[in-house]
Amino acid sequence: MKYPTPHIIMEGNTKFTLGSIQRNKILYDFDKILLYLNAKGKLMFGETFKLYDEDRDTLFKLCNYFIRDEANCKKLNIDVNKGILLSGPVGCGKTSLMKLLRHIVPYQKPYKMIPARNVVFGFNHIGYKTIEDYGNGQYFCFDDLGIEPIGRHYGKDCNVIGEILLSRHDLFLKHHVKTHGTTNLNAKELEDKYGNRVRSRMRELFNLVAFERDSRDKRN
């Protein structure tokens, strides 16, 4: 499917212009992107949805990553070829943003949002085929990494997400397949959960984008 005007997005009868095209290149306007995200967020999550000024720096990083603004990403120390690991306190809006941001680039390959705990429940039910199922060319965003239980199938324990992240790392190196994630945990907690080997692969797999530690709980 071709997008002759990828910077223009229609939501019902409303047109959102996220920037302009100059010399066959889109020049995005960050404030116009935020206007669209606010409107799309209300459609997806209800009228109470809003973006917060205190999160502007985090949003700026994420938007530049998704629109693949390589100049800004270089300044922000973000590699556009890697995935995003979005971290922050409970309720700060990580999951909503990862569901929302993919809509500003409808021409890019989409990713599926998958709760990490659901992957483990699948493993407990059908076993190692679950790990194989996530070792394919699809793009995924694993939600709430690190707080899922250990998998158990026929009496054998397995760190299911850890194994999947190793597989996804191989896919990234060989086929440039992206993986995203969200987490409430810090680097040490992730290492305690998955081990040093997986944590090392996660550094190669993800750009870390973090909310401030004192970010408010938007669900209150």
Side-chain angles (χ1 to χ4, degrees):
M1 186 176 182
K2 292 185 178 180
Y3 288 86
T5 54
H7 62 301
I8 297 174
I9 298 177
M10 296 296 299
E11 291 293 343
N13 295 321
T14 305
K15 180 169 76 171
F16 293 90
T17 303
L18 308 187
S20 59
I21 291 184
Q22 295 183 21
R23 297 177 184 173
N24 293 321
K25 185 177 180 181
I26 305 172
L27 297 180
Y28 283 96
D29 183 315
F30 180 53
D31 288 318
K32 289 180 178 176
I33 292 176
L34 294 184
L35 279 175
Y36 169 69
L37 289 174
N38 251 317
K40 182 67 173 177
K42 290 182 188 302
L43 289 173
M44 290 175 64
F45 308 116
E47 282 299 316
T48 58
F49 176 87
K50 63 180 284 191
L51 299 176
Y52 291 82
D53 287 342
E54 67 207 55
D55 297 331
R56 189 178 175 90
D57 288 348
T58 303
L59 283 163
F60 185 71
K61 291 177 184 176
L62 291 168
C63 287
N64 276 283
Y65 169 82
F66 277 97
I67 64 176
R68 295 181 67 87
D69 186 321
E70 296 194 17
N72 271 337
C73 283
K74 190 171 182 180
K75 293 177 191 172
L76 296 165
N77 199 28
I78 291 173
D79 183 341
V80 295
N81 297 307
K82 292 162 64 168
I84 288 287
L85 179 61
L86 185 57
S87 73
V90 172
C92 68
K94 302 180 296 295
T95 302
S96 296
L97 281 183
M98 290 306 287
K99 287 179 178 177
L100 180 60
L101 281 158
R102 54 191 170 180
H103 292 282
I104 64 176
V105 283
Y107 51 89
Q108 289 186 18
K109 184 171 180 176
Y111 53 85
K112 291 183 178 180
M113 293 288 297
I114 308 287
R117 67 181 182 277
N118 288 8
V119 179
V120 177
F121 296 156
F123 173 86
N124 293 346
H125 182 59
I126 63 173
Y128 287 88
K129 184 179 182 301
T130 301
I131 295 174
E132 294 173 16
D133 288 345
Y134 289 101
N136 60 35
Q138 290 190 68
Y139 288 10
F140 294 107
C141 178
F142 296 105
D143 196 25
D144 274 339
L145 285 174
I147 61 171
E148 76 281 354
I150 290 291
R152 191 170 180 82
H153 186 68
Y154 283 111
K156 290 187 177 180
D157 289 348
C158 178
N159 194 325
V160 179
I161 296 297
E163 292 297 324
I164 287 172
L165 289 173
L166 290 174
S167 296
R168 300 296 298 180
H169 178 260
D170 287 342
L171 279 171
F172 170 66
L173 292 182
K174 293 175 183 175
H175 305 293
H176 312 293
V177 174
K178 283 186 181 179
T179 304
H180 306 295
T182 72
T183 186
N184 303 330
L185 305 186
N186 61 34
K188 182 176 186 312
E189 290 168 329
L190 286 170
E191 187 166 323
D192 289 345
K193 175 72 177 184
Y194 297 123
N196 180 261
R197 180 170 171 239
V198 174
R199 177 66 187 133
S200 174
R201 302 299 190 277
M202 290 175 76
R203 291 189 189 97
E204 296 179 23
L205 197 57
F206 298 121
N207 296 285
L208 177 62
V209 178
F211 280 88
E212 294 295 330
R213 293 163 89 181
D214 59 353
S215 292
R216 76 174 87 175
D217 188 338
K218 277 87 171 182
R219 298 176 301 189
N220 292 337

